[in-house]
Amino acid sequence: MTYIAKPKFHHPGLKKNELGYTHRDYEGKISTLCAGCGHDSITASIIEACYELSIEPHRVAKISGIGCSSKTPDYFLGNSHGFNSVHGRMPSVLTGANLANRDLIYLGVSGDGDSASIGFGQFAHSIRRGVNMTYIVENNGVYGLTKGQFSATADRGSKSKKGVTNTDNAIDLVAIALQLGATFVARSFSGDKTQLVPLIAAAIRHKGASFIDVISPCIAFNNHAGSTKSFDYVREHNDAVNRLDVLVGRDPIAVDYAPGTVQLVEQHDGSKIALRKIDADYDPHDRLGAQTFLQKHAAKGQIVTGLLYVDPDADDLHAHLNTVETPLNTLEADTLCPGSAALDKFNASMR
């Protein structure tokens, strides 16, 4: 429970990263989610990714909305900045924070109800604007906090725990993210840490709107026969198009992936994504091809996972707005208010 403090004692033999931090330094409070919840596995993957990247926790801003998924930022990076907003409003809060201070690393954690229903418009606008963030949706297809009603991502024809069949078409957030211009788009499964950890690490290193849809089964209300978001269903219908690893600096990397061609994608900061293709015909640089590929496999009942699209030359919202390199929240009054002469000149230019 969150009211039980974790012991501050760290075993001296714990492995440390380049900063001298251990995994414990990236943890948060004890989870209050149901034992076995897929969201806790995503939390563990975020902790692992930040540990491997040697990120200073105080440089991270984690922002969420409302729901089981939006509780999870309390369980990782306890020494980072955090803000729990209202239902569906995480993207706009994150956008405002990013505009004010571009020097922080932004992690937006949301759920299928939070992003695909009440926050659908917020999700769409943050993606199309290219906010520099890692946007993670913990997708279980139900409203877990209100006893398991279908969410907007529940597949048509899937059945609830009580046997009710969903008659509504599902919103595919990955397809929407591709259409709206996200420059890093991926899907993974909470039960596949080998795939998920490097995806999160690569998304954090990416400049621009990074979106990861993580299928995360709700063991209380959506882990039964007839559900298309259960552990068994996802394992049986998972079609991975690639596996990847992130190369930062000269750190040695161990690649343990299925045989196939390897493609190196260099990002703006010099880090590289080692992309090992499982589907040799899949091109992660083809946005239209990715959309078509998703639709074809969805029609077969298959869940496509992996890095679906990446633009290594992407810009972010600050580049689009041509803002100054100095974070706006550190600008002095004389810079923000240059005087009436500058205002008159600007107004004249707009006539």
Side-chain angles (χ1 to χ4, degrees):
M1 298 298 104
T2 53
Y3 59 84
I4 301 176
K6 288 186 177 180
K8 295 183 179 180
F9 172 77
H10 287 200
H11 191 282
L14 290 178
K15 185 180 177 181
K16 297 180 179 180
N17 61 15
E18 291 181 353
L19 297 177
Y21 293 148
T22 69
H23 279 87
R24 290 290 307 278
D25 296 308
Y26 293 92
E27 293 177 358
K29 296 179 180 178
I30 297 175
S31 174
T32 61
L33 299 176
C34 302
C37 177
H39 293 359
D40 284 332
S41 297
I42 299 174
T43 293
S45 294
I46 293 173
I47 291 171
E48 179 68 24
C50 291
Y51 168 82
E52 290 183 358
L53 291 177
S54 293
I55 291 174
E56 296 172 299
H58 69 270
R59 292 191 57 238
V60 176
K62 51 185 184 179
I63 301 173
S64 64
I66 295 294
C68 290
S69 58
S70 294
K71 294 170 64 178
T72 59
D74 206 25
Y75 312 144
F76 63 84
L77 295 177
N79 292 320
S80 66
H81 305 279
F83 191 92
N84 185 229
S85 67
V86 295
H87 202 191
R89 300 303 183 262
M90 178 277 287
S92 58
V93 174
L94 188 151
T95 300
N98 180 278
L99 284 171
N101 188 356
R102 63 190 298 168
D103 282 352
L104 295 179
I105 298 169
Y106 288 91
L107 286 177
V109 181
S110 184
D112 40 301
D114 198 47
S115 284
S117 290
I118 191 171
F120 192 42
Q122 300 268 320
F123 159 76
H125 289 299
S126 67
I127 294 295
R128 77 180 183 88
R129 288 174 177 143
V131 180
N132 189 16
M133 62 181 175
T134 297
Y135 193 131
I136 298 175
V137 168
E138 301 180 346
N139 186 353
N140 56 24
V142 298
Y143 290 100
L145 285 182
T146 53
K147 310 307 179 187
Q149 302 93 328
F150 292 119
S151 80
T153 64
D155 295 304
R156 186 171 186 171
S158 62
K159 292 186 177 181
S160 69
K161 190 174 182 179
K162 294 183 178 180
V164 179
T165 301
N166 181 35
T167 58
D168 296 332
N169 289 321
I171 291 177
D172 186 342
L173 291 173
V174 163
I176 299 296
L178 284 167
Q179 183 180 8
L180 292 173
T183 51
F184 183 105
V185 182
R187 174 178 282 143
S188 192
F189 172 45
S190 63
D192 189 353
K193 193 175 180 181
T194 301
Q195 182 192 61
L196 182 56
V197 170
L199 279 175
I200 294 173
I204 291 174
R205 301 288 296 191
H206 182 76
K207 181 180 180 181
S210 299
F211 177 73
I212 307 178
D213 178 38
V214 187
I215 307 300
S216 180
C218 173
I219 63 165
F221 300 107
N222 211 12
N223 193 38
H224 51 272
S227 166
T228 58
K229 296 287 193 293
S230 67
F231 279 105
D232 287 344
Y233 186 91
V234 176
R235 288 192 180 104
E236 292 172 4
H237 296 81
N238 187 354
D239 185 8
V241 293
N242 51 48
R243 294 280 183 172
L244 61 89
D245 226 321
V246 180
L247 286 71
V248 181
R250 298 181 179 180
D251 294 342
I253 208 77
V255 180
D256 183 21
Y257 298 145
T261 59
V262 177
Q263 181 179 12
L264 288 180
V265 179
E266 184 168 353
Q267 305 227 69
H268 73 284
D269 60 356
S271 63
K272 294 182 176 65
I273 299 174
L275 195 65
R276 184 173 293 274
K277 294 186 177 182
I278 296 176
D279 187 322
D281 297 328
Y282 190 82
D283 182 6
H285 301 292
D286 182 356
R287 187 185 296 273
L288 181 59
Q291 292 173 307
T292 303
F293 191 89
L294 282 170
Q295 291 177 348
K296 285 182 177 180
H297 284 69
K300 301 175 184 178
Q302 295 174 327
I303 301 170
V304 179
T305 62
L307 178 58
L308 304 177
Y309 177 78
V310 61
D311 179 359
D313 300 317
D315 286 325
D316 70 339
L317 181 59
H318 283 278
H320 302 160
L321 297 179
N322 195 28
T323 62
V324 295
E325 291 292 331
T326 305
L328 301 184
N329 67 341
T330 64
L331 295 178
E332 300 294 337
D334 58 346
T335 303
L336 293 173
C337 303
S340 59
L343 179 60
D344 291 340
K345 182 180 180 181
F346 175 77
N347 287 336
S349 70
M350 300 301 290
R351 293 191 176 97

